[in-house]
Amino acid sequence: AAWPGRGARGAFPLIVAYCSQAAFLFGYHVHEKAALTTLLPLLLAAGRSARHAETYRFLSNVAHAQLMPLLFGMQERPVRLAAWGLHAALALMLLPRRTVARRGWAAVWHLLLVAYQLGLVVVLESVELLQPVVAPGLPFLPLLLRSAYCLPGMVLGAVQIAALL
């Protein structure tokens, strides 16, 4: 798909992103920072179209949710949420957006993706807040739930990148 003359001009960043995403998924035991190896080449392609930008925004939200345990203190919670929100707002403002309204199943699918992304913040942050009260003997429970919630998003990100190729 990346050979010249086959209609895939400029596909190299997407191919690198797809290979990085596949390596991340097959080695999911690797630390979540490995998701950045997918995002950086995908960012290079994100300005090409609204579909590219939507894929980048979705995958970057999932990757941010995975990276949040690196800032684990309660005093760091406002900083990490503000950084995530600022990045999401800048990506929404600066990258291309879809101008045509979605209809039918495309609109339903988009709403499901938006609900999933909102769940990244609501579900995962509330689990971290409730874990010390509900299950104080299970300190790694929030990390387990975070990984389990983010995995479908990472798989879907790989499918979205493949659809762009």
Side-chain angles (χ1 to χ4, degrees):
W3 294 111
R6 290 194 47 177
R9 189 168 178 234
F12 186 71
L14 289 174
I15 292 169
V16 171
Y18 185 68
C19 290
S20 297
Q21 186 71 355
F24 175 77
L25 289 174
F26 284 108
Y28 198 68
H29 62 281
V30 176
H31 201 279
E32 287 81 3
K33 290 183 288 188
L36 293 175
T37 61
T38 300
L39 286 181
L40 295 177
L42 191 57
L43 178 60
L44 295 175
R48 292 177 59 194
S49 73
R51 283 184 61 214
H52 289 76
E54 285 176 356
T55 300
Y56 171 76
R57 282 191 292 262
F58 176 78
L59 207 49
S60 70
N61 281 333
V62 176
H64 271 91
Q66 288 182 322
L67 292 171
M68 289 301 121
L70 297 176
L71 301 171
F72 55 87
M74 286 300 285
Q75 68 275 15
E76 297 164 337
R77 181 171 309 244
V79 173
R80 73 183 190 188
L81 291 176
W84 186 0
L86 179 63
H87 178 268
L90 286 173
L92 190 61
M93 289 186 318
L94 298 176
L95 293 175
R97 286 186 282 185
R98 189 178 296 265
T99 56
V100 178
R102 293 174 179 88
R103 299 183 193 280
W105 287 108
V108 172
W109 180 248
H110 179 72
L111 287 176
L112 287 173
L113 290 179
V114 169
Y116 175 80
Q117 292 177 77
L118 290 174
L120 289 170
V121 178
V122 175
V123 172
L124 299 177
E125 292 299 319
S126 61
V127 164
E128 279 195 27
L129 289 172
L130 293 175
Q131 181 272 328
V133 176
V134 176
L138 301 171
F140 293 107
L141 183 63
L143 296 174
L144 173 71
L145 293 174
R146 184 176 297 270
S147 289
Y149 192 85
C150 290
L151 181 59
M154 294 304 284
V155 172
L156 181 59
V159 171
Q160 288 178 332
I161 294 171
L164 292 173
L165 288 173

